[in-house]
């Protein structure tokens, strides 16, 4: 009779849910199943919700969370009391939970009185990572209730949820800590919650620990209570309103260094005790960055503290948890003795990225994961704005070009996606954290900033942040804020160029359709004829979809030093430039996100200009031309020998950025030919010193040039590196190698058996993660396949080489000509293990698939990869990465078939 009564109540709740006012509400409340097998049920109760997203009619307001992690048993227990507002009559509360053992669930009214004297039934829907709690009494619309749940779990395997990390002291002792990583959908692995970004709430956290540890969370500790069993319980201040994926807590024995910003915010860097001396640079950067963002956004950082902590086991680069940002050790720690200038820049930019998120992402959060670029694209772009302002010596604007080149590389494949794309299940959501969201998002914002002007852009995003603080936003909200400011400025300046600009229509062409535009430029007398098409490096798709962008064109001519602007909104267009103009360069300094092709002899004019007076163009324009020419060869729009002719001016090039761009392509070319009798950048090599002297740009060039020269077996380079390596060994490894060339020295040393073994020993004991990264790369440069295989196995085991670094090992081995097939065979053999370790949609799985297949270029290899993807069809069909890998491989096959013969003939002629 009890269960019959429960069933009748359940039916009554369904009928009440259907009495909502609007169609959308009715659709949300649909409790019918969709034909899949019914999830777990308690006797006659069936799971009440069939959708991946939670019902909208129960809103969490405040979580009171208690956790007791046990670092000996590697498990944790906890309880959560969630204050909820009910907006429709219902008997059910559905929340997210994954891998948690629920021992008790109950619902209390606003007076904290239990609605039932019995333990409430809890139903599980594992495939949707949801649980449903049934209340015998109907929860009344408009009332406040409290959902109370007790739970337990082991620490998660891998890098998501509440997981274990370890480090080893110089005395050989292994110590354990517990840390969290919740973005995008893993808060549910640590406590039952409404794990979607729109369900913002306050969080009051308590953590129990033994005295030898400390605990950290988003907010400061307000008091610590000593419990009767010797445990301590830290009580943290209530948080501001935020999404569940930003909640964080760590229990560890770390040390910290602390400083304050000009506004009094306490900034602390936490690291393992023996590495705390490497935390001072991050502390300097953290304080500078918070001060900069306070001023730039004109919105004070809202929390009293900002902790940055280096976690020994961490899959991604860092995570922006509000008030407690977590990092890989290599992304936070800087050792002046072993860290290169490139590593210093990396640490600076990562901190700039995560602290930008405290506003873009934390203060204002995207409404759903389809618009994650509103978080990540902005944070990536703010890296450049913030570092340029706080550390101008890095000349960080030089690196933005590479960010946009990376975006074009992916976006010119059929398998690309729009910036704003549908994503529903956790695997799809995880895949949204990719080059499109980060790099293309940043480059589109860069284009928009230059189009609207710096002042309009900054004022517009400040307006956006103010309007949607502690709320969620969509693309349209950003466009509306920018439009309001742009129209105000247009009225003041009466600029004809952007009067009546429909910013929404313009930006929708960049965010709601995939791909990158190709603008073909043809000179016809005094006019420049323009045509736009989608730029593809793979075979044209069969679908008839028509692509059209609103392109903010810029161009420069020899007749004027001014940058000219034109908004191209149709497939064909024309511009008057005058008869007297002898050359025109479109997409000035690559402020626009599009590729340019100069038709009907246009490339000959550009090549002639570079040979005769290359400094007539900025270094950014020269770099852009090199990139575009090589991309057009890949797409079949430009003959290879014409692109190589363009590089003929290189002996006169002195700027780091175009030099590096050209050298990157030459390296790819060297990989494709068998003979390396002559290196065509001899003069550049000979100019380099084996030191750490010079500007940041000069040091970056030195590192890249000498690495490439030694990789190509240049005798002078190899001998010099060997001598440095011998000196290092003879000093019992106490000699401080120049940091800019250390990786090159290690890589040459690793070619010998003794050198390889010695480096592996150093890798095991070094306290410098920067040095360990350099050594790990060097170890993968061995030409002994047995050693490469051993590295892959060590990465899989996860002891000597941490699991977090396995994807890097696979990628590095795959880049080694002796390791191409070795790495691919490793992936095929260990696929199930890799997916279990990293999660299917993770960046690690994506990087592993794309890096191992990206080295292939034959039809036979293409067939082999297709067969493997067919064998894992159920998983492969869920991944965009498999399509990217196939697209890349097809592109490589076509390139070789079209260009290898031309390349060999060209090089043969050059050597005569």
């Amino acid at each position: 009779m009890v269960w019959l009564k429960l069933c009748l109540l359940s039916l009554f709740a369904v009928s009440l849910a259907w009495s909502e006012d609007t169609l959308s509400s009715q659709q949300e409340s649909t409790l019918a199943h969709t034909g899949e097998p019914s999830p777990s049920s308690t006797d006659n109760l069936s799971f009440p919700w069939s959708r991946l997203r939670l019902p909208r009619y129960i809103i969490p307001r405040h979580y009171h969370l208690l956790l007791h992690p046990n670092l000996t048993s590697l498990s944790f227990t906890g309880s959560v009391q969630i204050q909820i507002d009910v907006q429709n009559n219902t008997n059910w509360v559905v929340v997210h939970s994954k891998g948690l053992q629920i021992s008790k669930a109950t619902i209390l009214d606003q007076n904290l009185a239990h609605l039932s004297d019995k333990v409430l039934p809890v139903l599980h829907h594992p495939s949707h990572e949801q649980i449903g709690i049934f209340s015998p009494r109907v929860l009344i619309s408009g009332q406040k209730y409290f959902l109370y749940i007790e739970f337990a779990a082991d620490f998660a395997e891998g890098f998501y949820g509440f997981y274990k990390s370890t480090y080893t002291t110089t005395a050989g002792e292994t110590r354990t800590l517990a840390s969290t990583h919740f973005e995008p959908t893993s808060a549910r692995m640590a406590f039952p919650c409404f794990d979607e970004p729109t369900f913002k709430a306050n969080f009051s956290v308590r953590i129990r620990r033994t005295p030898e540890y400390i605990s950290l969370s988003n907010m400061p500790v307000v008091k610590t209570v000593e419990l009767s069993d010797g445990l301590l319980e830290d009580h943290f201040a209530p948080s501001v309103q935020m999404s569940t994926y930003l909640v964080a807590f760590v229990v560890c024995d770390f040390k910290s260094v602390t400083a304050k910003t000009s506004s009094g915010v306490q900034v602390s860097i936490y690291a393992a005790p023996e590495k705390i001396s490497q935390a001072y640079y991050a502390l300097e950067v953290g304080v500078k960055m918070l001060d900069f963002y306070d001023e730039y956004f004109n919105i004070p950082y809202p929390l009293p503290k900002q902790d940055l902590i280096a976690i020994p086991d961490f899959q991604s680069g860092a995570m922006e948890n509000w008030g407690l940002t977590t990092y890989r050790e290599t992304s936070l720690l800087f050792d002046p003795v072993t860290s290169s200038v490139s590593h210093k820049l990396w640490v600076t930019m990562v901190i700039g990225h995560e602290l930008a998120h405290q506003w873009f992402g934390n203060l204002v959060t995207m409404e759903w994961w389809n618009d994650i670029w509103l978080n990540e694209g902005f944070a990536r772009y703010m890296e450049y704005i913030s570092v340029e302002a706080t550390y101008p010596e890095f000349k960080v604007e030089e690196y933005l070009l590479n960010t946009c080149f990376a975006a074009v590389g992916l976006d010119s494949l059929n398998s690309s996606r729009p910036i704003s794309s549908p994503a529903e299940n956790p695997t799809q959501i995880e895949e949204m954290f990719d080059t499109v969201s980060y790099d293309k998002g940043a480059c589109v914002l860069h284009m928009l900033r230059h189009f609207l002007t710096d002042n309009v852009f900054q004022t517009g995003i400040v307006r956006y942040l103010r309007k949607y603080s502690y709320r969620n936003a969509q693309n349209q909200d950003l466009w509306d804020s920018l439009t309001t400011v742009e129209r105000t400025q247009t009225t003041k300046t009466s600029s004809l160029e952007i009067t009546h600009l429909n910013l929404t229509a313009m930006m929708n062409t960049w965010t709601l359709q995939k791909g990158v535009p190709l603008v073909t430029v043809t000179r016809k007398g005094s006019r420049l004829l323009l045509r736009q098409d989608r730029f593809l490096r793979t075979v044209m798709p069969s679908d008839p979809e028509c692509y059209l962008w609103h392109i903010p064109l810029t161009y420069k001519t020899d007749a004027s030093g001014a940058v000219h602007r034109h908004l191209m909104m149709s497939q064909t267009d024309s511009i008057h430039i005058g008869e007297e103009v002898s050359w025109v360069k479109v997409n000035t300094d690559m402020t626009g996100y599009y590729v340019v092709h100069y038709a009907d002899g246009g490339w000959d004019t550009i090549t002639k200009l570079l040979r005769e007076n290359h400094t007539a163009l900025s270094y950014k324009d020269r770099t852009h031309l090199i990139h575009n020419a090589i991309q057009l060869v890949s797409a079949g729009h430009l003959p290879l020998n014409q692109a190589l002719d363009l590089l003929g001016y290189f002996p006169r090039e002195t700027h780091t950025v175009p030099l590096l761009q050209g050298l990157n392509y030459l390296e790819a070319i060297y990989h494709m030919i068998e003979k390396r009798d002559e290196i065509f950048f001899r003069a550049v090599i000979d100019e380099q010193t084996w030191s750490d002297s010079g500007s940041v740009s000069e040091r970056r060039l030195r590192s890249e040039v000498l690495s490439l020269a030694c990789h190509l077996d240049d005798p002078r380079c190899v001998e010099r590196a060997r001598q440095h390596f011998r000196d290092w060994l003879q000093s019992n490894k106490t000699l401080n190698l120049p940091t800019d060339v250390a990786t090159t020295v290690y890589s040459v040393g690793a070619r010998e058996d003794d050198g390889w073994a010695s480096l592996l020993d150093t890798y095991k004991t070094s306290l410098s993660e920067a040095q360990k990264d350099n050594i790990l790369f060097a170890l993968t440069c061995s030409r002994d396949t047995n050693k490469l295989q051993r590295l892959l196995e060590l990465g899989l085991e996860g002891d000597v080489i941490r699991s977090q670094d396995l994807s890097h090992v696979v990628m590095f081995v795959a880049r080694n000509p002796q390791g191409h097939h070795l790495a691919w065979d490793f992936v095929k053999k260990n696929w199930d293990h890799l997916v279990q370790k990293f999660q299917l949609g993770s960046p690690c799985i994506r990087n592993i698939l794309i890096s191992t297949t990206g080295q292939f270029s034959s039809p036979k290899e293409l067939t082999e990869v297709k067969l493997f993807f067919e064998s894992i069809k159920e998983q492969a069909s869920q991944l965009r990465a498999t399509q990217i890998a196939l697209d890349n491989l097809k592109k490589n096959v076509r390139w070789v078939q079209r260009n290898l013969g031309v390349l060999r003939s060209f090089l043969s002629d050059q050597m005569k």
Side-chain angles (χ1 to χ4, degrees), residues 522-674:
T522 307
R523 177 72 181 275
K524 194 161 188 177
S526 63
R527 300 200 70 79
L528 208 60
L529 306 184
L530 307 170
R531 176 184 172 85
Q532 63 161 296
D533 301 281
R534 183 183 174 195
F535 177 64
L536 276 171
R537 293 185 298 152
T538 43
V539 180
M540 290 295 290
S542 56
D543 64 90
E545 186 173 355
C546 180
Y547 291 85
L548 181 70
W549 289 266
H550 293 184
I551 306 173
L553 288 174
T554 55
Y555 63 97
K556 200 172 182 180
T557 73
D558 61 319
S560 168
V563 175
H564 304 279
R565 303 175 186 278
H566 176 76
L567 184 58
M568 184 181 183
M569 302 172 65
S570 55
Q571 188 151 24
T572 59
D573 205 345
S574 68
I575 304 170
H576 178 81
I577 59 171
E579 294 281 0
E580 72 282 3
V581 168
S582 62
W583 58 261
V584 60
K585 164 65 175 66
V586 179
N587 198 355
T588 305
D589 289 341
M590 201 186 168
T591 52
Y593 183 73
Y594 54 95
V595 176
V596 182
H597 177 39
Y598 300 90
D600 293 351
W603 280 107
D604 293 333
T605 302
I606 293 291
T607 300
K608 182 172 181 290
L609 172 64
L610 289 175
R611 287 180 183 273
E612 293 177 355
N613 183 22
H614 68 280
T615 56
L617 298 172
S618 70
Y619 80 85
K620 292 181 181 179
D621 276 336
R622 301 196 299 272
T623 308
H624 179 236
L625 287 168
I626 294 167
H627 171 265
N628 276 199
I630 299 298
Q631 296 301 308
L632 289 164
V633 170
S634 185
H637 293 292
L638 190 69
L640 176 62
N641 53 4
Q642 197 164 1
L644 293 172
D645 280 341
L646 184 81
L647 295 176
Y649 88 98
F650 242 43
R652 290 178 294 282
E653 181 59 78
T654 58
H655 198 284
T656 299
V657 177
L659 272 175
L660 285 174
Q661 193 64 32
L663 291 176
N664 284 338
Y665 293 129
L666 286 175
E667 180 179 13
I669 287 171
Y670 279 120
H671 277 303
M672 294 185 182
I673 58 175
E674 297 169 2

Side-chain angles (χ1 to χ4, degrees), residues 472-491:
N472 299 82
Q474 304 178 49
N475 281 352
Q476 188 61 52
D477 301 318
L478 176 61
W479 310 147
D480 289 345
S481 295
L482 288 166
T483 296
T484 299
V485 174
E486 180 271 326
R487 287 178 178 168
T488 302
Q489 295 293 328
T490 299
T491 302

Side-chain angles (χ1 to χ4, degrees), residues 75 113 156 189 191 367 398-399 757 819 829 858 897:
S75 61
M189 298 173 68
F191 59 99
E367 193 166 286
E398 296 179 358
Y399 296 79
K829 179 181 177 182
S858 73
Q897 291 171 342

Side-chain angles (χ1 to χ4, degrees), residues 287-301 349 351-359 378-379 381-387 390:
V287 170
K288 270 192 177 185
M289 288 293 180
L290 276 183
D291 279 339
F292 168 77
Y293 285 133
D294 266 355
E295 182 179 345
Y296 187 89
F297 295 133
N298 197 23
I299 300 172
Y301 176 75
M349 294 189 75
I351 294 173
H353 182 104
E354 301 311 323
L355 296 187
H357 270 311
Q358 307 303 298
W359 286 263
F378 260 107
Y381 190 43
M382 290 307 301
E383 293 175 27
Y384 296 97
I385 294 176
S386 63
V387 176
T390 54

Side-chain angles (χ1 to χ4, degrees), residues 28-96:
E28 258 190 356
S29 301
T30 302
L31 302 182
H33 292 290
T34 55
E36 64 180 39
S38 176
S40 64
S41 60
T42 302
D43 290 354
N44 295 326
L45 286 173
S46 295
F47 200 84
W49 192 248
S50 62
R51 300 188 176 189
L52 279 168
R53 294 204 211 177
L54 296 179
R56 304 286 104 183
Y57 51 76
I58 295 183
I59 310 298
R61 299 301 183 190
H62 200 130
Y63 291 76
H64 291 269
L65 177 63
L66 169 65
L67 288 163
H68 179 195
N70 188 319
L71 298 182
T72 303
S73 65
L74 303 181
S75 61
F76 63 95
T77 57
S79 65
V80 64
Q81 180 176 285
I82 311 172
Q83 179 187 329
I84 56 176
D85 287 350
V86 175
Q87 297 181 351
N88 287 322
N89 292 358
T90 183
N91 291 88
W92 288 96
V93 180
V94 179
V95 299
H96 286 112

Side-chain angles (χ1 to χ4, degrees), residues 55 71 108 182 230 250 312 381 419 500 506 689 703 731 833 836:
L71 298 182
L108 301 89
F182 292 160
V250 180
Y381 190 43
I419 285 178
H500 307 306
M506 173 183 165
T689 62
S703 180
S731 73
H833 196 151
Q836 182 181 4

